[in-house]
């Protein structure tokens, strides 16, 4: 483990302490209520995912067999941490509402994907069944399954964006014969003096089905690339106009939440934030044990207002 990785783990540990302090500061009285209030914020969900990914990446990274998966988890966690930086954009009146629009569009994208995946699976499975005739479901291994998933899911997905891959959908020019369909055929010559037995099988060539695959691609692009994408653009336009009308109210609300969040945060930066939290704990313990008389904040506020 390098010094840089140790430094990052210390920084993430301070981040974990900060999130625990935020949970403790939630207004709910029960622990479950505090956790529910904390999880209600989308930015706290980002923090929860990043902390879980860090723990998983560290556990995978410490074992030789899972070292590569640990690096992948670290890389994904880097993306999550950078997305967390969007939170500071709520300070800006112009960028804050745009983040709300972006967040509202995520649910619409999921609805679009639920519609799109049906067309991808329908076209992908149908086209690949005509282009790869020799694939047998009973003789598949992990490599062939990954290739099938790539051909069925990724090829139609990239074709929707213009990567048609016409060379691949043309099919390989090879004769494929099905052994279970073979039967012995007796062939006799014209003089009927001698006959020979030949093995007759049902044979296919993927190039014979290339016109069918091109026809399916034609209808797939019409539905996926024209109809569904334009539907998604229309939904995005509606969401943008709806949020833009109330951009000032949305910006003020998000600014309030941002101020409330950073008002509780310590003034020191990691890793010195631990010092301030230790001071807060000591102060809290002193108030519970050593302080004889509690402050009456209500009378103080009344005196301030009267004066």
């Amino acid at each position: 483990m390098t010094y840089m990785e140790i430094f990052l783990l210390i920084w993430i540990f301070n981040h974990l302490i900060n999130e625990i302090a935020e949970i403790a500061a939630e207004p709910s009285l029960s622990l479950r209520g505090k956790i529910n209030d904390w999880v209600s914020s989308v930015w706290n969900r980002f923090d929860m995912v990043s902390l879980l990914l860090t723990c998983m990446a560290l556990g995978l990274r410490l074992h030789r067999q899972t070292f590569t998966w640990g690096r992948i988890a670290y890389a994904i966690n880097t993306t999550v941490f950078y997305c967390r930086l969007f939170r500071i954009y709520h300070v800006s009146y112009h960028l804050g509402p745009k983040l709300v629009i972006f967040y509202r569009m995520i649910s619409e994208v999921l609805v679009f994907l639920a519609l799109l995946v049906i067309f991808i699976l329908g076209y992908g499975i149908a086209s690949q069944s005509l282009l790869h005739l020799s694939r047998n479901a009973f003789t598949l291994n992990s490599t062939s399954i990954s290739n099938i998933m790539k051909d069925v899911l990724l090829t139609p997905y990239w074709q929707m964006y213009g990567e048609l891959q016409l060379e691949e959908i043309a099919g390989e020019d090879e004769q494929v014969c099905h052994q279970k369909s073979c039967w012995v055929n007796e062939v006799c010559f014209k003089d009927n003096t001698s006959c020979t037995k030949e093995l007759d099988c049902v044979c296919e060539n993927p190039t014979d089905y290339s016109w069918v695959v091109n026809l399916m691609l034609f209808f797939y692009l019409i539905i996926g690339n024209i109809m569904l994408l334009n539907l998604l653009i229309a939904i995005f336009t509606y969401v943008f106009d709806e949020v833009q009308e109330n951009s000032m109210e949305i910006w003020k609300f998000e600014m309030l939440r941002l101020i409330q969040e950073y008002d509780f945060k310590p003034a020191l930066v990691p890793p010195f934030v631990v010092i301030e939290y230790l001071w807060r704990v000591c102060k809290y313990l002193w108030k519970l044990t050593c302080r004889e008389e509690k402050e009456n904040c209500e009378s103080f506020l009344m005196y301030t207002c009267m004066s």
Side-chain angles (χ1 to χ4, degrees), residues 9-53:
L9 290 176
I10 294 174
W11 183 84
I12 293 174
F13 178 73
N14 283 271
H15 184 57
L16 174 62
I17 295 176
N18 192 19
E19 296 305 317
I20 294 175
E22 285 188 13
I23 295 176
E26 293 293 338
S28 298
L29 299 178
S30 62
L31 178 61
R32 184 175 181 180
K34 290 179 179 293
I35 294 176
N36 290 334
D37 292 340
W38 181 78
V39 175
S40 63
S41 174
V42 64
W43 305 107
N44 290 333
R45 295 175 200 167
F46 270 103
D47 295 331
M48 181 176 62
V49 171
S50 63
L51 293 173
L52 291 176
L53 280 174

Side-chain angles (χ1 to χ4, degrees), residues 39-307:
V39 175
S40 63
S41 174
V42 64
W43 305 107
N44 290 333
R45 295 175 200 167
F46 270 103
D47 295 331
M48 181 176 62
V49 171
S50 63
L51 293 173
L52 291 176
L53 280 174
T54 302
C55 297
M56 184 178 66
L58 181 61
L60 295 173
R61 183 238 181 279
L62 295 178
H63 297 83
R64 185 182 296 271
Q65 295 81 2
T66 57
F67 181 84
T68 55
W69 292 103
R71 181 178 289 275
I72 293 173
Y74 270 136
I76 297 175
N77 200 16
T78 302
T79 305
V80 176
F81 271 112
Y82 273 102
C83 290
R84 184 64 173 83
L85 293 176
F86 279 128
R87 182 68 170 118
I88 203 65
Y89 283 179
H90 282 297
V91 177
S92 173
Y93 167 73
H94 299 284
L95 294 176
K98 302 301 185 296
L99 288 178
V100 178
I101 295 172
F102 180 78
Y103 179 72
R104 290 277 303 275
M105 286 180 178
I106 293 177
S107 59
E108 305 299 337
V109 171
L110 295 178
V111 174
F112 169 76
L113 291 178
L115 297 174
L116 181 62
V117 70
I118 303 300
F119 294 101
I120 288 179
L121 291 175
Y123 164 73
I125 294 175
S127 61
Q128 295 303 315
S129 65
L130 296 176
L131 296 175
H132 301 278
L133 305 173
S134 59
R135 283 175 174 169
N136 190 350
F138 299 100
T139 59
L140 296 177
N141 52 31
S142 59
T143 304
S144 58
I145 290 177
S146 63
N147 291 333
I148 291 175
M149 296 298 293
K150 175 185 175 183
D151 295 335
V152 171
L153 296 177
L154 294 183
T155 299
Y157 180 77
W158 295 123
Q159 285 177 338
M160 188 175 62
Y161 295 108
E163 294 289 338
L164 299 182
Q165 304 178 10
L166 297 178
E167 296 82 6
E168 295 184 7
I169 65 175
E172 298 181 1
D173 190 7
E174 61 176 353
Q175 200 76 7
V176 178
C177 297
H178 304 282
Q179 298 297 328
K180 293 185 177 181
S181 65
C182 297
W183 60 289
V184 179
N185 186 20
E186 188 175 0
V187 179
C188 298
F189 295 97
K190 293 181 179 180
D191 53 2
N192 293 327
T193 56
S194 61
C195 295
T196 59
K197 295 182 178 180
E198 295 182 354
L199 195 64
D200 190 9
C201 301
V202 177
C203 297
E204 299 175 290
N205 194 319
T207 56
D208 297 336
Y209 303 110
S210 60
W211 67 274
V212 183
V213 177
N214 289 326
L215 186 62
M216 288 191 296
L217 177 62
F218 171 76
F219 288 105
Y220 168 72
L221 291 179
I222 288 179
I223 297 174
N225 202 16
I226 298 178
M227 294 178 59
L228 290 181
L229 283 181
N230 281 280
L231 174 63
L232 182 64
I233 293 172
I235 294 174
F236 283 175
T237 304
Y238 170 76
V239 173
F240 180 84
D241 294 338
E242 183 182 10
V243 177
Q244 194 69 19
E245 291 179 359
N246 305 313
S247 59
M248 178 62 72
E249 290 78 7
I250 294 173
W251 175 72
K252 290 180 180 179
F253 176 73
E254 292 298 332
M255 272 293 297
L256 175 63
R257 295 184 61 179
L258 184 64
I259 292 172
Q260 290 177 345
E261 177 183 344
Y262 278 87
D263 181 61
F264 181 77
K265 288 182 179 294
L268 300 177
V269 296
F272 306 105
V273 65
V274 180
I275 301 174
E276 184 165 349
Y277 280 124
L278 289 176
W279 179 80
R280 290 185 182 183
V281 172
C282 294
K283 183 179 178 181
Y284 176 74
L285 294 176
W286 176 82
K287 288 182 178 179
L288 290 178
T289 57
C290 301
R291 191 173 61 175
E292 298 179 355
E293 184 178 349
K294 296 183 178 180
E295 299 174 355
N296 192 349
C297 297
E298 294 182 358
S299 60
F300 176 76
L301 291 175
M302 292 179 60
Y303 175 77
T304 305
C305 294
M306 291 175 62
S307 59

